[in-house]
Amino acid sequence: MTEARAKKLPYRSIPQMMQVNAEKYADRPAISFKKGGGYITLNYQQFYSRILMTARGLRKAGMQAGDRVAIFSENRAGWVIADMGIQAALGISVPVYATNTGVQAAYVINHSGSKIVFVSDRSQYEKLLAVRDQIPQVEMVFSFERFLGERNLPVHTLYQLSEISYPIQDKEKQQIEEQIASIDSTDLITVIYTSGTTGIPKGVMLTQHNMAINAWDGIQRAGEAQMTGTFLSFLPLSHVLERTAGYYAVLMGGGHIAFAEDVNKVVENILEVKPSAMISVPRLFEKIYSRIYENIHLLGPVKRQLFHSAIATGHKYIHAKYIRHQSIGLLGLKYKIYDRLVFRKIRSRFGGQLKFFICGGAPLDKTINEFMWIIGIPVFEGYGLTETSPAIALNSLHENRFGSVGKALGDTEFKLLEDGELLVKGSAVMRGYYQDQKATANAFVDGWFKTGDIAHIDEQGYVYIVDRKKEIIVTAGGKNIAPQPLENTLKLDKYISQAYIHGDTKPYLIAILTPNFERLIEFGHEKHINYLSVDDLVANEQVKQLFAERIALFNKNLASYQTIKKFILLPREFSTEGGELTPTMKLKRKEIYKTYKDKIEQLYQHNGEGQNSQPQSENGGKNEAN
């Protein structure tokens, strides 16, 4: 970190930031959580007191400086209280995805050497109980909810650990704040295990400096005034994007975090909380875009035409104002009229206060991004990895290019290898992989971190991610194809929800598709199709023909080697529970291939040449889900 940037960042650590802000923003709301039908709020001073109590309890429980402590929980107030308490007690937090199985959690706990584990509730505790013999080193479990544990794995509550009935005494506060003052910017803040899209998870070591400077740089790019509102938190805090941007940066900027009850109640919680900003992954915007267009096609012709005219005007407006930075004049007035008639009503469905989203984790389709800007809720698309804390590029209100992930953030530097792989240097880059010197060495070349992504950078410095280097498809004919842009285009079709494209070393491309079930059921009613279940509907010949026609439209403007020759239609969506998606909704390509290998290979038993005009489906409905 340069001396100039060190002066700009007034904190050596995240706990020190909280100590400063607890005084600076004492009465300002810090965190809110749902309980008993309503939201309970802790202000900055109350939140800080809870942090100190947790740190006190951990040191009394025997936790030593440098100990790793696991947090096995979905998003909630307990997560952030535990995380901050661990840091204030000089520990290192190790997040575990709430969707992980007991075996997966055991791997992270064992590899990190965690002796203490925080769990959210009984369901997570029971996962650990089921693998108790695999985690013999775990000495203590603390839960955010009260329940009785088993003798071989005792459990206590966070309240008991914190001794919530005994306020922090001045001497105790002084001792903990002396610990906080001793934290150096080079100390580890966390070990985050990658979500495992490419094999066994690796523990990414991030320092206090990595995450603090990344949060600070994000605030500068987004604008300090943007960070003082309410952020609704629903992405996993175990993922570095939500943790840095939706947690550390929000509290650093004096903002307020409201926790969604769970991912299935996000829409309901948005209307309750009326957030000003959110962090998300592309899947949410894909669903928003799809749902709005589903509703529009049900309107009468006059209202449909009004909507499409508003979108056309909005497209001109956002490009003139935010991309070309031109005078908008009458175009601005026209947009205001459409905003009052159309877009304001759409925004009201999101609480009416949303100013922006930050999006990362996977590429966001350009059309969907433009749509969000048009309706008045801009999405700032960024880019990063767990290994980079995460953001190393980000768009903003004043510097934005649709289709790009923005310009370099902070002191980040970029370089491209001959094959287009993006290399990075900067303050956000990790220390290395925990207990894995070989993987650490392989991740760097001449001091530059290898992102594994193929990219190009334009003359203005905007970065465009093409695809993952390992996911580039090389066909039997030697053609290099990036699957993600094609998959994103497929998902824009009103009948398609998710798409996976396969074809590495093969003579042609095939796709696995999951339908937009609402639209598909509607189609079934229109065509008077008799079916007993979704499996029957997906297996229907008229439905197969429908998707063959949709794929033919998709193929129309593509080079022959990019076209989909055959496809599989599934009667369910990809999911984290099914093993096809990571907790941040990225495709786990190896798992998808492994699950559907037999069906995929059947599609290559006969040469696909000459089938461009009519893509073929060889699926059999019920079998596709197995």
Side-chain angles (χ1 to χ4, degrees):
M1 177 169 60
T2 65
E3 185 178 346
R5 294 185 79 235
K7 289 178 181 177
K8 287 182 182 179
L9 180 63
Y11 322 105
R12 279 197 313 276
S13 71
I14 294 296
Q16 187 186 39
M17 175 273 292
M18 272 309 306
Q19 180 184 349
V20 170
N21 284 4
E23 184 174 341
K24 185 177 179 180
Y25 305 122
D27 297 324
R28 189 182 288 186
I31 61 172
S32 295
F33 53 95
K34 194 83 173 284
K35 188 173 183 179
Y39 273 89
I40 295 173
T41 298
L42 299 180
N43 63 31
Y44 272 77
Q45 189 58 58
Q46 292 167 331
F47 179 42
Y48 183 58
S49 293
R50 294 290 300 276
I51 293 167
L52 296 179
M53 289 178 182
T54 303
R56 174 183 65 186
L58 285 168
R59 294 314 289 264
K60 281 185 177 181
M63 197 203 86
Q64 301 296 312
D67 280 359
R68 280 76 58 209
V69 180
I71 306 176
F72 191 13
S73 168
E74 67 286 334
N75 287 22
R76 56 193 299 160
W79 204 108
V80 295
I81 292 169
D83 173 58
M84 286 285 189
I86 292 165
Q87 294 180 56
L90 305 183
I92 299 164
S93 62
V94 180
V96 182
Y97 281 107
T99 53
N100 276 10
T101 64
V103 172
Q104 291 168 329
Y107 176 83
V108 172
I109 291 166
N110 287 334
H111 191 270
S112 65
S114 297
K115 297 178 182 178
I116 299 173
V117 182
F118 285 92
V119 297
S120 55
D121 55 23
R122 187 173 190 89
S123 65
Q124 304 296 15
Y125 169 81
E126 288 181 346
K127 290 180 186 178
L128 297 184
L129 192 61
V131 294
R132 182 62 174 117
D133 60 334
Q134 297 178 36
I135 49 172
Q137 85 284 2
V138 172
E139 298 172 355
M140 287 173 279
V141 175
F142 296 105
S143 173
F144 304 145
E145 293 184 7
R146 187 185 299 275
F147 57 86
L148 292 175
E150 299 296 327
R151 183 176 297 178
N152 66 333
L153 188 61
V155 60
H156 303 282
T157 67
L158 175 60
Y159 279 1
Q160 290 171 320
L161 173 72
S162 304
E163 296 179 294
I164 201 77
S165 300
Y166 298 92
I168 285 285
Q169 301 301 305
D170 289 343
K171 185 176 180 180
E172 291 174 326
K173 182 179 179 183
Q174 182 182 347
Q175 289 174 338
I176 297 168
E177 289 185 339
E178 285 175 359
Q179 291 174 181
I180 291 172
S182 73
I183 300 173
D184 190 78
S185 63
T186 60
D187 290 341
L188 285 186
I189 185 173
T190 191
V191 179
I192 301 178
Y193 284 77
T194 56
S195 54
T197 57
T198 56
I200 296 174
K202 297 189 289 290
V204 177
M205 296 187 290
L206 298 177
T207 66
Q208 290 281 348
H209 168 56
N210 287 148
M211 300 195 87
I213 199 68
N214 201 246
W216 177 268
D217 287 336
I219 291 171
Q220 309 314 305
R221 178 63 56 85
E224 292 187 35
Q226 302 274 29
M227 304 303 294
T228 56
T230 297
F231 283 66
L232 182 64
S233 175
F234 77 97
L235 282 187
L237 280 163
S238 43
H239 186 266
V240 70
L241 174 60
E242 183 71 22
R243 186 166 173 185
T244 302
Y247 167 21
Y248 294 153
V250 175
L251 295 176
M252 189 178 285
H256 169 216
I257 305 169
F259 292 101
E261 292 175 85
D262 60 55
V263 293
N264 297 317
K265 292 190 176 181
V266 170
V267 174
E268 177 185 325
N269 295 154
I270 285 175
L271 294 174
E272 293 174 323
V273 172
K274 294 180 171 52
S276 55
M278 292 172 65
I279 316 298
S280 188
V281 290
R283 188 66 183 142
L284 175 66
F285 307 116
E286 292 165 3
K287 288 190 173 183
I288 289 172
Y289 179 86
S290 175
R291 181 61 58 88
I292 290 173
Y293 272 90
E294 284 170 18
N295 291 333
I296 293 304
H297 97 281
L298 297 175
L299 298 176
V302 175
K303 288 187 177 180
R304 273 205 311 271
Q305 184 56 48
L306 175 65
F307 174 80
H308 291 303
S309 296
I311 293 294
T313 297
H315 190 272
K316 293 176 184 176
Y317 172 80
I318 62 167
H319 278 268
K321 182 175 181 179
Y322 298 110
I323 305 302
R324 297 190 296 272
H325 301 289
Q326 296 173 338
S327 173
I328 52 177
L330 289 174
L331 178 61
L333 178 60
K334 194 175 179 182
Y335 177 81
K336 280 185 179 180
I337 294 170
Y338 280 124
D339 185 69
R340 181 169 296 178
L341 294 173
V342 180
F343 304 139
R344 188 180 297 179
K345 294 177 181 177
I346 295 174
R347 291 197 299 274
S348 69
R349 300 177 188 176
F350 303 97
Q353 302 297 319
L354 264 174
K355 295 179 181 177
F356 69 94
F357 281 97
I358 292 175
C359 178
L364 174 62
D365 185 84
K366 179 184 174 188
T367 300
I368 295 175
N369 197 355
E370 288 176 333
F371 174 79
M372 296 300 297
W373 281 69
I374 288 168
I375 66 173
I377 312 177
V379 175
F380 304 148
E381 189 173 7
Y383 167 76
L385 304 94
T386 305
E387 291 88 342
T388 59
S389 304
I392 47 179
L394 184 66
N395 280 293
S396 68
L397 196 63
H398 304 294
E399 289 187 304
N400 181 68
R401 289 293 182 275
F402 296 113
S404 84
V405 293
K407 292 184 176 181
L409 198 63
D411 65 356
T412 300
E413 298 177 64
F414 292 129
K415 183 168 76 171
L416 296 176
L417 291 178
E418 288 185 8
D419 64 0
E421 183 178 0
L422 184 69
L423 304 185
V424 61
K425 267 186 181 180
S427 295
V429 178
M430 68 171 181
R431 179 186 290 181
Y433 294 113
Y434 186 65
Q435 296 192 108
D436 199 336
Q437 293 182 356
K438 183 178 179 181
T440 301
N442 290 338
F444 291 86
V445 55
D446 298 327
W448 292 81
F449 174 70
K450 299 185 289 186
T451 66
D453 287 310
I454 303 297
H456 75 267
I457 304 171
D458 70 15
E459 294 178 355
Q460 287 76 42
Y462 288 96
V463 180
Y464 297 79
I465 303 298
V466 177
D467 214 324
R468 291 292 295 168
K469 185 175 180 178
K470 292 181 179 179
E471 293 175 1
I472 295 292
I473 292 170
V474 182
T475 66
K479 297 292 185 180
N480 285 17
I481 302 169
Q484 284 188 354
L486 297 177
E487 290 163 350
N488 286 338
T489 302
L490 277 169
K491 289 187 290 186
L492 291 178
D493 188 282
K494 64 183 181 180
Y495 287 106
I496 297 173
S497 177
Q498 297 163 307
Y500 161 85
I501 290 176
H502 183 83
D504 201 45
T505 73
K506 302 295 187 181
Y508 50 87
L509 301 183
I510 65 96
I512 298 179
L513 308 174
T514 71
N516 178 328
F517 287 104
E518 290 181 5
R519 278 291 180 88
L520 185 59
I521 290 170
E522 186 180 281
F523 174 82
H525 291 161
E526 288 174 359
K527 298 298 181 181
H528 305 290
I529 298 173
N530 292 320
Y531 62 94
L532 295 175
S533 66
V534 172
D535 300 74
D536 294 333
L537 182 60
V538 165
N540 183 272
E541 289 303 321
Q542 288 187 73
V543 170
K544 292 185 195 178
Q545 180 61 29
L546 168 69
F547 279 86
E549 291 169 0
R550 308 311 293 186
I551 294 294
L553 283 173
F554 166 79
N555 287 341
K556 194 173 180 181
N557 298 315
L558 296 173
S560 177
Y561 66 88
Q562 294 176 307
T563 58
I564 305 300
K565 301 297 192 297
K566 299 181 181 182
F567 65 92
I568 295 168
L569 191 60
L570 299 182
R572 66 174 183 84
E573 289 205 331
F574 295 139
S575 66
T576 54
E577 294 79 11
E580 302 104 339
L581 299 179
T582 70
T584 52
M585 303 296 110
K586 291 195 284 276
L587 295 178
K588 297 178 81 168
R589 294 183 180 275
K590 287 183 178 179
E591 290 303 314
I592 292 173
Y593 176 73
K594 185 174 164 184
T595 300
Y596 301 104
K597 180 180 177 180
D598 291 344
K599 293 294 179 183
I600 289 171
E601 294 303 328
Q602 282 178 20
L603 300 187
Y604 291 107
Q605 287 181 358
H606 304 288
N607 194 299
E609 297 303 319
Q611 297 172 353
N612 297 21
S613 61
Q614 192 61 53
Q616 294 184 357
S617 167
E618 296 189 3
N619 66 322
K622 293 181 181 178
N623 291 336
E624 301 315 318
N626 296 330

